[in-house]
Amino acid sequence: MKNDHSAVLSAHPLDPLSIAEIEAACKIVRDAKALGPRCRFPYVYLDEPSKSEVLAFKPGMPYSRKAFVLVLDKATGATYESLVDLRVAEVVSWRALDTEVTGQAPIMVEEFDLCVKIVQEDPEWRAAVKRRGLTDEDIANVQIDPWSFGYFGDEERYRGRRLMRGVAFYRDVITDNGYAHPIEGLVAIIDLNEEKVIDLLDDGRNVPIPKTKRNYDTPSLGAPRDGLKPLHITQPEGVTFSVDGWRVSWQNWDFRVGFTPREGLVLHNLSYHDGEEVRPIIYRASVTDMGVPYSSDELNHFWKCAFDGGEYGLGRLANSLELGCDCLGAIRYFDVPAVNDLGEAFVMKNAICMHEEDYGTLWKHYEFRTGVFEMRRSRRLVISFFCTVANYDYGFFWYLYQDGTIQLEAKLTGIIQTAALVPGEVQNGGKVAADIYGPSHQHFFSARLHMMVDGEQNSVVETDFHPRPVGEGNRYGNVFDAVTTTFKNELDACREANGQTGRFWKIINPNVRNAAGNHPGYKLVAEQNPVMLAQPGSYFHQRAGFASKHVWVTRYSPGERYGSGEYPNQHKGGDGLPAYVKQNRSIENQDLVLWHTFGHTHICKPEDFPVMPVEYVGFKLKPNNFFAANPAMDLPGGKDSKSVSASGGSGSSCCHSAK
Ligand code: ABN
Ligand code: CU
């Protein structure tokens, strides 16, 4: 590799771009393409090197270092994908997108503010809110939610434009919770590049604005309940994990932490030290999008179908946990280098949080005949981040356990989208207060698991349980059979969960056998499996096609990265998983990606308001024929267990930093 550019500060090909690399990438593109002042940088991230390069890498070896830079010229609406080779400080590829086909670049943070200004200044919109009883002074406090436009056919006046919808909420003072005061029946359609409202949709009903305050900031909540005694979690001897740059080792696990603006946290090269062997399990794991289609026919809501990953960016909107952490114990934070819309690098302080947690019983037995009593406590490593996408807050928590289990838990909290009740009308949603309801909706997460169980060639099998008919071999009617099929091609593997047959899926390595003669594998334990309720022909169904199945399996192809496709913003639909599997490639004994859709159908209720308690959704991957025995038999027990000690005494404070 020639000309090692001074900006390159990484130690491994998968390290996220450093601050210097981000700055260099933006400058190289800006200079090479003479970008004007209205050019923006919706994406700047590591262009991950090929899998073969990563797997062949050994410390000290040269490796490639490229940045993917998406440029949006607000003056013309032109959008360009570029690749910058940081080693030679050159733009090595530059391609204009036909955004009517590809979809628009994701919504940028500056467009959140821009949308408020554009709408608040629009004379027609001002007149419309005044008809609903607001004054000029009130308007400065009105909250405008910056909604992705969606797609509802090729209407001529919308074609080729970068659009957004603005929905309004009254606030008496700027710090009020606007979601308690929805302004119904009024939607502004904004051209973000022309910076103007191009359509104002007003149902003319002038529905009264709910005015009861439902604030949740500490002063508004008043005196808290009392009686809670301190609960301390301490690790007086320090933490069990070790961190080297972006690499983490803990209790036989080994992986690298990554982070992208769209997906947020990524786990790379997840492997397990099994005796002398380092056994790969997952090459790359992430949540590639989260789509939320709403169930409503109302003007303010019928078009709502947010892709919080692909349209907004789960990583880009990550919380900095500087202000107080969400986790207890000895925390190790990762600061994540990031970039703003102008191409200026900054550090997302404490964006990723990692710590250990006690998790109760791992294994236990009391041998009543001999009095032998053994139990081992379970501990898990938690790697997480939280993001806020306007009203909702999502936590993404990866857990690794000592028994080889891998888990992803998404935590859904924040504030529901609200609507004002029209007196005397029945609405499609759940009432949360006397004059407010929450339109029903679904949350669909698309996890992408590039599997590598004991090697690069894997297969996926599906098992259903069937009760065996009474007869020979089942005289008493108690026998059931497990029927297992191996998926051959991609179109065979677009599957739905089936509670009645107890269906499950395993990723196996058909080229290896364990001591019992079985192929080592990991079982996908699917937990929350809503199905897409929007009609198959609907725009929502087309645009969030990934949500029509719970499991998809694709042959690995580096360009197939997101369940909902590359650019869901204003995309007409059909991209992502439904397009990938149309190729119907062979998936038996191949380099495979397992995709899992999971989520939650949300019928709102008063308990969700003003801020909803966390709803947990996710999945597990459990070793199945992978280990020769319970891999946690060697855990220390009794007094040596190093596990939590409970006491009634006082302890030291929680939430301190791990070194
Ligand atoms: N949570 C989706 C969203 C984005 C922008 C504005 C409102 C809601
Ligand atoms: Cu919800």
Side-chain angles (χ1 to χ4, degrees):
M1 215 114 330
K2 55 175 182 163
N3 279 352
D4 206 343
H5 192 255
S6 59
V8 176
L9 296 175
S10 61
H12 185 275
L14 290 175
D15 283 356
L17 295 181
S18 65
I19 290 286
E21 286 173 320
I22 291 172
E23 273 167 0
C26 295
K27 181 169 176 358
I28 292 164
V29 177
R30 209 181 271 121
D31 293 350
K33 299 295 165 189
L35 300 184
R38 297 202 66 211
C39 283
R40 297 291 183 271
F41 296 82
Y43 277 144
V44 182
Y45 56 77
L46 173 75
D47 178 59
E48 288 174 25
S50 71
K51 183 173 162 214
S52 53
E53 184 179 344
V54 172
L55 294 181
F57 176 77
K58 301 267 178 315
M61 275 169 62
Y63 56 94
S64 57
R65 204 65 186 153
K66 295 200 184 89
F68 175 85
V69 180
L70 187 70
V71 174
L72 168 67
D73 186 345
K74 287 173 66 75
T76 60
T79 309
Y80 304 93
E81 284 183 335
S82 65
L83 266 189
V84 176
D85 187 332
L86 292 160
R87 298 281 180 200
V88 293
E90 263 174 31
V91 175
V92 289
S93 92
W94 177 259
R95 179 173 86 100
L97 295 182
D98 177 355
T99 51
E100 277 185 55
V101 177
T102 60
Q104 283 278 339
I107 293 164
M108 296 179 291
V109 174
E110 72 168 18
E111 289 171 327
F112 278 47
D113 296 335
L114 186 62
C115 146
V116 178
K117 182 175 164 300
I118 294 171
V119 175
Q120 284 184 350
E121 286 175 2
D122 183 72
E124 272 189 60
W125 179 87
R126 294 179 77 89
V129 292
K130 284 184 188 168
R131 284 195 295 278
R132 289 162 170 82
L134 302 195
T135 63
D136 280 320
E137 292 78 67
D138 291 331
I139 286 174
N141 288 340
V142 168
Q143 165 185 323
I144 309 292
D145 268 16
W147 269 96
S148 55
F149 183 72
Y151 181 86
F152 287 88
D154 262 338
E155 274 194 68
E156 193 50 43
R157 69 186 187 291
Y158 296 148
R159 286 186 64 177
R161 298 176 102 153
R162 183 166 173 80
L163 301 169
M164 182 185 265
R165 296 180 200 249
V167 179
F169 300 84
Y170 167 78
R171 290 178 300 191
D172 173 31
V173 289
I174 203 119
T175 49
D176 276 347
N177 171 15
Y179 295 105
H181 318 292
I183 300 179
E184 207 53 43
L186 185 66
V187 180
I189 297 180
I190 302 144
D191 183 315
L192 289 164
N193 292 341
E194 289 183 36
E195 303 194 356
K196 64 178 194 208
V197 173
I198 59 166
D199 261 336
L200 187 68
L201 313 180
D202 186 344
D203 68 9
R205 292 185 297 176
N206 295 334
V207 177
I209 302 172
K211 287 283 170 63
T212 310
K213 291 202 187 205
R214 298 297 301 275
N215 292 341
Y216 53 86
D217 54 303
T218 300
S220 306
L221 290 174
R225 69 178 70 172
D226 53 20
L228 274 180
K229 301 282 186 275
L231 192 159
H232 293 298
I233 294 170
T234 61
Q235 291 191 275
E237 292 174 33
V239 295
T240 315
F241 53 77
S242 60
V243 180
D244 177 11
W246 293 96
R247 180 178 170 188
V248 179
S249 310
W250 177 81
Q251 291 288 288
N252 298 325
W253 289 102
D254 206 299
F255 63 96
R256 305 193 70 86
V257 175
F259 200 87
T260 72
R262 173 162 177 169
E263 303 154 290
L265 187 54
V266 179
L267 301 188
H268 295 283
N269 290 356
L270 181 66
S271 57
Y272 192 94
H273 290 248
D274 186 12
E276 296 299 297
E277 254 188 294
V278 180
R279 301 178 65 187
I281 299 169
I282 307 183
Y283 178 70
R284 188 184 192 281
S286 69
V287 174
T288 69
D289 212 337
M290 206 271 310
V292 193
Y294 281 74
S295 157
S296 175
D297 204 36
E298 297 288 322
L299 183 93
N300 263 38
H301 317 283
F302 74 85
W303 43 267
K304 286 182 179 170
C305 182
F307 292 84
D308 284 3
E311 290 180 334
Y312 292 95
L314 302 172
R316 186 217 308 266
L317 298 175
N319 295 171
S320 166
L321 301 172
E322 218 173 357
L323 297 177
C325 63
D326 299 70
C327 308
L328 288 180
I331 312 289
R332 168 64 154 82
Y333 292 110
F334 290 85
D335 296 340
V336 173
V339 62
N340 68 15
D341 305 328
L342 296 170
E344 296 157 347
F346 68 96
V347 177
M348 273 185 182
K349 193 101 185 88
N350 297 355
I352 302 170
C353 168
M354 184 169 76
H355 69 291
E356 292 172 273
E357 263 175 19
D358 178 76
Y359 195 63
T361 308
L362 197 159
W363 64 262
K364 163 184 162 124
H365 186 59
Y366 168 56
E367 176 51 62
F368 73 95
R369 283 160 286 242
T370 61
V372 171
F373 179 86
E374 294 287 349
M375 88 77 75
R376 300 293 183 273
R377 292 195 73 81
S378 175
R379 209 184 272 199
R380 61 185 187 179
L381 184 71
V382 192
I383 316 109
S384 69
F385 80 106
F386 245 102
C387 62
T388 302
V389 189
N391 57 315
Y392 263 112
D393 301 74
Y394 297 99
F396 293 89
F397 285 59
W398 287 94
Y399 299 102
L400 302 176
Y401 294 80
Q402 291 158 314
D403 68 352
T405 300
I406 302 160
Q407 182 183 6
L408 173 73
E409 192 169 73
K411 302 186 183 189
L412 288 63
T413 178
I415 311 184
I416 58 165
Q417 280 292 320
T418 49
L421 276 167
V422 181
E425 281 187 19
V426 178
Q427 310 294 351
N428 188 12
K431 250 177 116 167
V432 299
D435 45 6
I436 312 173
Y437 74 100
S440 303
H441 57 276
Q442 300 189 282
H443 301 254
F444 290 110
F445 297 81
S446 177
R448 180 181 180 280
L449 306 162
H450 185 175
M451 301 304 296
M452 202 177 155
V453 177
D454 270 338
E456 292 185 68
Q457 309 281 113
N458 286 179
S459 294
V460 177
V461 298
E462 176 177 280
T463 301
D464 286 288
F465 296 109
H466 293 293
R468 191 185 290 182
V470 175
E472 185 61 30
N474 187 21
R475 287 170 300 158
Y476 309 105
N478 57 323
V479 179
F480 61 87
D481 295 302
V483 179
T484 296
T485 10
T486 305
F487 295 135
K488 302 261 180 260
N489 298 310
E490 288 170 326
L491 288 174
D492 310 330
C494 314
R495 306 296 294 162
E496 284 169 43
N498 184 344
Q500 236 173 1
T501 65
R503 181 172 295 164
F504 68 88
W505 299 273
K506 273 194 328 189
I507 306 90
I508 60 165
N509 187 326
N511 310 296
V512 182
R513 285 189 191 277
N514 63 14
N518 294 315
H519 299 305
Y522 259 77
K523 174 178 170 180
L524 172 68
V525 182
E527 288 168 356
Q528 285 82 11
N529 303 121
V531 288
M532 167 69 119
L533 293 167
Q535 292 293 329
S538 64
Y539 288 115
F540 284 7
H541 204 285
Q542 296 293 311
R543 299 185 69 234
F546 75 88
S548 62
K549 300 287 170 196
H550 300 123
V551 162
W552 308 74
V553 183
T554 56
R555 173 102 73 90
Y556 169 61
S557 171
E560 297 175 1
R561 303 189 290 178
Y562 308 114
S564 56
E566 284 287 322
Y567 299 107
N569 192 15
Q570 291 182 242
H571 195 284
K572 48 171 70 96
D575 200 4
L577 279 166
Y580 303 163
V581 299
K582 271 198 193 137
Q583 300 164 83
N584 205 20
R585 291 160 293 196
S586 152
I587 49 169
E588 195 176 359
N589 203 8
Q590 299 286 348
D591 189 353
L592 295 185
V593 180
L594 172 70
W595 304 75
H596 177 41
T597 307
F598 59 94
H600 174 57
T601 299
H602 191 170
I603 309 300
C604 302
K605 53 199 181 298
E607 291 85 348
D608 291 338
F609 208 64
V611 182
M612 82 182 241
V614 168
E615 189 74 44
Y616 297 87
V617 297
F619 64 89
K620 291 193 188 86
L621 286 166
K622 290 187 89 80
N624 192 299
N625 287 310
F626 189 81
F627 293 109
N630 177 350
M633 292 310 292
D634 63 348
L635 282 175
K639 285 195 295 297
D640 300 324
S641 74
K642 309 273 186 219
S643 288
V644 284
S645 54
S647 83
S650 61
S652 59
S653 72
C654 70
C655 204
H656 51 276
S657 286
K659 290 287 169 297

